[in-house]
Amino acid sequence: MSSAGGAGENIVETHPSLHLDAYEGPLDLLLDLIRRQQIDIFNIPIAQITQQYLDHLHKMEQLNVEIAGDFILMAATLIYIKSKLLLPPDPTASPEEALDPRVDLVQRLLEHEKFKNAAQMLQQKQMLEQATWSKPDAAFAGEEGELVVTLWDLAKVFREVLARPPEPPSLEIHREEITVAEMMDEVRQLLRGTDAPVALVDLCRRHPTRRGLIALFLALLELVRLEAVIAVQSELFGPISLRKHKLFDVVFAGEAATEIDEQYN
Amino acid sequence: MDRDALKAQLEAIIYVSEEPVTLGQLEKALPEVTREELRAALEELVAAGRTPARGLEIRQVAGGYRMYTKTEHHEAVRKFVRSQKPPLRLSLPALETLAVIAYKQPVTQPEIKAIRGVDPESALATLLEKGLVVTAGRKEAVGRPILYRTSKEFLLRFGLKDVGELPTLEEFEELARASLGEPETSPAGEPPSEGSAEQTEAEAGNA
Amino acid sequence: MDRDALKAQLEAIIYVSEEPVTLGQLEKALPEVTREELRAALEELVAAGRTPARGLEIRQVAGGYRMYTKTEHHEAVRKFVRSQKPPLRLSLPALETLAVIAYKQPVTQPEIKAIRGVDPESALATLLEKGLVVTAGRKEAVGRPILYRTSKEFLLRFGLKDVGELPTLEEFEELARASLGEPETSPAGEPPSEGSAEQTEAEAGNA
């Protein structure tokens, strides 16, 4: 308890200068404050440390550094601990509640420090490892551009495939064989993720061939009829755009597209 | 440098070199060692390889020194190598196709094509051959296209209990965004991860 | 097969293998040799590498045996290595996140956050990208969060036999304490902190 009071006004003079942006989180900052001043972590002068911690947050504010919520939460925790230490012990409290309110924080700090040390050890091991060579490393360099694959690669690649803009039409690509069902599917892909309208002209450009345009036209007629898609024209002879309509999800959930396709075959 | 240290160094150098190492190269790399010392140490290395307890030997070839496995062990080595399951290596097109199948299964070839924008035919063949993908009947649609899904081997290879364990796109989306938006605080000048470069290349090759 | 021939064969096999060679793989490839004979021969091979006249050594890493040049020759060797492994540059946050995963695996993102006090998103993405960390199913808890563990690549990059080879966290604690001359708080021999309890839990969830 005594530590909560004025333990070290003298230390405040030698206020450690810290690089604010160097701290990854509140635990980092707090731990550094404690270690730099060689404070006994099992007897933290909470008042002093809280003040220093808050000073740092103020400095960050002045520097317009965006202060993460984690830092604020820690400030609140520190103030709470400080206030608890100032209160006389509650005689009715259970032994558990009567514990030093700093205990939890100390545990977290120690845990955090352990991993910081472990990280350093790992780095040393890695540097040592880098000084040795194993021959087949050469083979790892990727035979014929092949990759060793993890689940992360798989998920990442899928995201990228989905995000890929559709290929611009090219003369080499023969899209003549495209079916009405495929065309409907394409419209679905196009409109699925968005409520924004898509210009009909753009869609037509992607299918410059005669057969492609016919399939597109038939697909759109069907989709409009089924109320999966609505065609909008804001002014006479203005550009036509397509948008999801009320039955969009319903129509594409079923086999409507294939059924329709069969009618055209 | 004493003879043992020199021999050790030479052995390490010959081991890592992809090409036969010439006396000239060694002289340049170890200026404090005379040509005679080098030659003597190399001879001892060559001789050491001849002892029956060694499976590797250093031979003079094409004007330089190179490390080889001994002929008498070739059968054992070949057998061993053949029995190994190499790590899963996939080309980017194959990986993309696998990803689409994993997340959209069961799925048909035209559907994969629609998503990828490229015909997955050869990638599919690779995946089927590697046993990562199997057929799953036919879709009740025009032409009754074959459906594909991932195999048990796929689950094993990726350490999954079932496909439900695949990370959702949202889950990885957050991670990926964090890694893109926030440049690594590591020492500046880190080159962009090799992954993306390779990818672009593979993509180009894929077109 | 006599001991020398066996050692020679093992040396040749380890030399050509791309990945660390496990005892199990060797047993399968050499059915006429007992596990004890294998183990003894491997031990002798490892010991032989320690002699000063050898520049190569066989080390146990990532669950198997692999051949490496010795650290002390890296200056001389570097000049001859054509394909250098790209240096592994990790930011401090990434390293710390990796340490948490290495010690608490399998572990979820919220659990990492609780220990580090910061969301590990971006660090996690980096580690996944570099293949040092892989997913390990999902935890049977609310939201079924993804579990993460370290990969084989991690063991290789850090030259570890297995994660059990990492110093215990208690050792780090003592280290920190010793450096500050702080009094011991917990009586000696106290079971490891909540950390390991959590781990067991996570493991159970993973099963």
Side-chain angles (χ1 to χ4, degrees):
Chain A
M1 273 275 178
S2 60
S3 59
E9 291 307 321
N10 56 331
I11 297 177
V12 180
E13 300 299 322
T14 61
H15 207 301
S17 66
L18 308 168
H19 295 284
L20 295 169
D21 48 353
Y23 296 103
E24 232 229 310
L27 288 174
D28 244 20
L29 170 54
L30 209 53
L31 193 63
D32 199 46
L33 279 172
I34 290 165
R35 289 310 187 200
R36 269 174 192 247
Q37 301 172 91
Q38 306 202 335
I39 290 169
D40 177 2
I41 197 164
F42 297 106
N43 193 14
I44 301 173
I46 282 289
Q48 171 198 334
I49 286 290
T50 304
Q51 192 52 54
Q52 291 176 350
Y53 184 89
L54 292 175
D55 286 350
H56 282 297
L57 290 202
H58 287 316
K59 263 196 230 166
M60 284 166 94
E61 258 173 356
Q62 281 160 18
L63 292 170
N64 279 327
V65 178
E66 201 190 321
I67 299 172
D70 298 326
F71 281 94
I72 312 280
L73 184 65
M74 179 57 79
T77 308
L78 286 171
I79 293 167
Y80 171 74
I81 295 173
K82 187 173 128 185
S83 66
K84 274 207 103 174
L85 284 170
L86 289 173
L87 291 174
D90 180 356
T92 64
S94 67
E96 240 170 73
E97 286 166 337
L99 267 182
D100 190 328
R102 295 172 296 180
V103 163
D104 273 354
L105 182 62
V106 170
Q107 282 306 332
R108 284 187 70 195
L109 284 169
L110 283 176
E111 184 85 345
H112 185 69
E113 188 164 52
K114 274 191 277 184
F115 285 105
K116 282 180 85 76
N117 289 334
Q120 270 173 20
M121 177 275 305
L122 281 180
Q123 191 163 33
Q124 283 162 10
K125 276 205 175 287
Q126 199 267 320
M127 279 163 66
L128 215 60
E129 192 56 29
Q130 215 147 286
T132 67
W133 282 269
S134 193
K135 184 110 182 240
D137 273 346
F140 282 121
E143 304 154 336
E144 302 151 26
E146 301 222 319
L147 324 159
V148 176
V149 177
T150 66
L151 203 53
W152 163 258
D153 299 315
L154 193 74
K156 197 181 77 172
V157 154
F158 186 55
R159 279 183 56 242
E160 283 163 4
V161 170
L162 289 186
R164 187 179 301 162
E167 297 200 355
S170 115
L171 287 179
E172 279 107 54
I173 296 173
H174 298 286
R175 286 194 185 268
E176 278 90 345
E177 66 279 8
I178 196 159
T179 67
V180 175
E182 282 169 345
M183 199 59 87
M184 286 171 76
D185 200 56
E186 182 173 331
V187 174
R188 177 179 79 101
Q189 299 287 348
L190 208 63
L191 295 178
R192 188 174 48 167
T194 171
D195 286 315
V198 172
L200 178 61
V201 155
D202 289 347
L203 202 54
C204 292
R205 274 202 199 108
R206 291 166 62 172
H207 299 283
T209 64
R210 204 179 131 82
R211 283 202 54 144
L213 284 173
I214 291 170
L216 175 62
F217 182 65
L218 291 173
L220 286 177
L221 281 183
E222 290 294 349
L223 289 171
V224 170
R225 179 181 69 83
L226 293 167
E227 295 187 293
V229 164
I230 185 165
V232 190
Q233 190 176 31
S234 50
E235 54 180 302
L236 196 61
F237 305 123
I240 297 173
S241 54
L242 303 167
R243 241 193 337 224
K244 259 197 246 183
H245 205 26
K246 54 189 176 185
L247 293 179
F248 184 88
D249 292 324
V250 179
V251 167
F252 283 112
E255 294 282 346
T258 40
E259 279 165 31
I260 285 157
D261 193 59
E262 268 156 14
Q263 296 168 20
Y264 287 103
N265 274 284
Chain B
M1 183 164 18
D2 71 17
R3 177 65 58 90
D4 273 357
L6 176 58
K7 270 158 59 183
Q9 217 162 75
L10 293 175
E11 189 183 44
I13 288 172
I14 294 168
Y15 169 77
V16 296
S17 298
E18 271 165 56
E19 305 271 312
V21 184
T22 65
L23 211 54
Q25 288 174 315
L26 290 171
E27 267 184 306
K28 231 187 271 173
L30 306 164
E32 71 283 11
V33 185
T34 68
R35 179 170 271 248
E36 284 62 46
E37 283 173 309
L38 274 177
R39 226 191 274 274
L42 285 165
E43 244 166 64
E44 281 182 37
L45 267 182
V46 171
R50 294 213 189 91
T51 55
R54 296 295 311 269
L56 306 174
E57 59 184 357
I58 288 170
R59 293 207 307 255
Q60 237 183 316
V61 64
Y65 292 85
R66 197 173 185 186
M67 193 172 279
Y68 291 92
T69 55
K70 288 186 185 169
T71 354
E72 58 258 50
H73 305 305
H74 279 186
E75 197 41 48
V77 167
R78 210 182 13 231
K79 236 175 70 189
F80 180 83
V81 171
R82 221 184 291 141
S83 72
Q84 289 321 296
K85 213 183 216 179
L88 186 58
R89 289 221 174 82
L90 292 174
S91 65
L92 195 74
L95 179 59
E96 280 185 15
T97 305
L98 183 60
V100 173
I101 295 172
Y103 281 96
K104 296 272 180 185
Q105 60 188 310
V107 66
T108 67
Q109 187 167 333
E111 286 163 349
I112 300 168
K113 185 181 169 185
I115 295 172
R116 281 192 62 221
V118 195
D119 200 307
E121 204 167 358
S122 88
L124 256 177
T126 309
L127 295 172
L128 285 164
E129 193 199 344
K130 290 194 191 250
L132 296 166
V133 158
V134 290
T135 56
R138 288 176 178 277
K139 184 164 184 170
E140 293 304 333
V142 191
R144 304 206 354 109
I146 297 173
L147 285 162
Y148 298 93
R149 62 172 178 81
T150 54
S151 67
K152 203 167 155 187
E153 172 74 9
F154 166 82
L155 294 177
L156 281 174
R157 285 293 199 154
F158 287 91
L160 296 166
K161 253 188 290 182
D162 51 63
V163 282
E165 276 196 348
L166 278 170
T168 65
L169 288 188
E170 292 72 37
E171 282 168 320
F172 269 21
E173 192 86 32
E174 274 170 35
L175 290 178
R177 221 189 348 243
S179 75
L180 287 177
E182 206 174 293
E184 269 291 287
T185 46
S186 64
E190 179 153 351
S193 68
E194 336 77 79
S196 47
E198 249 170 73
Q199 213 165 293
T200 328
E201 211 176 280
E203 238 160 354
N206 183 34
Chain C
M1 183 164 18
D2 72 16
R3 176 65 59 90
D4 274 358
L6 176 58
K7 271 159 61 182
Q9 213 164 77
L10 293 176
E11 192 183 43
I13 288 175
I14 292 168
Y15 171 78
V16 298
S17 294
E18 240 176 76
E19 301 256 309
V21 181
T22 68
L23 208 55
Q25 292 172 327
L26 290 170
E27 264 184 312
K28 234 185 266 172
L30 306 165
E32 70 282 10
V33 185
T34 68
R35 177 169 272 248
E36 283 63 46
E37 283 173 306
L38 273 177
R39 225 193 276 273
L42 284 165
E43 243 166 65
E44 281 182 37
L45 268 181
V46 170
R50 294 214 188 90
T51 54
R54 297 296 309 270
L56 304 175
E57 59 184 355
I58 287 172
R59 287 201 330 241
Q60 252 184 300
V61 67
Y65 293 84
R66 196 174 192 197
M67 192 171 280
Y68 288 96
T69 60
K70 288 184 184 171
T71 337
E72 59 257 46
H73 305 306
H74 91 274
E75 258 330 307
V77 165
R78 204 165 42 190
K79 296 177 201 152
F80 287 87
V81 191
R82 182 74 52 83
S83 56
Q84 293 222 20
K85 38 183 164 185
L88 184 63
R89 268 198 231 107
L90 289 177
S91 65
L92 203 66
L95 257 174
E96 284 179 25
T97 305
L98 184 59
V100 174
I101 296 171
Y103 279 96
K104 299 273 181 181
Q105 59 188 313
V107 66
T108 67
Q109 187 172 333
E111 286 162 352
I112 301 169
K113 186 181 172 183
I115 291 172
R116 297 205 53 235
V118 204
D119 205 309
E121 251 175 20
S122 135
L124 202 48
T126 306
L127 297 172
L128 284 161
E129 187 69 45
K130 298 198 187 251
L132 297 167
V133 159
V134 289
T135 57
R138 289 172 183 278
K139 184 165 181 168
E140 295 303 337
V142 188
R144 308 215 334 119
I146 295 176
L147 286 161
Y148 297 95
R149 62 172 178 81
T150 53
S151 66
K152 195 165 169 181
E153 174 74 7
F154 163 77
L155 295 174
L156 285 173
R157 286 297 201 146
F158 291 83
L160 295 164
K161 254 191 271 190
D162 51 61
V163 281
E165 210 200 343
L166 289 169
T168 67
L169 286 177
E170 287 68 40
E171 284 172 280
F172 287 121
E173 203 164 351
E174 271 156 38
L175 203 88
R177 242 182 235 145
S179 71
L180 290 156
E182 275 161 9
E184 285 271 329
T185 37
S186 54
E190 180 161 326
S193 59
E194 339 77 77
S196 49
E198 244 169 69
Q199 198 168 319
T200 328
E201 198 182 295
E203 244 153 3
N206 186 35

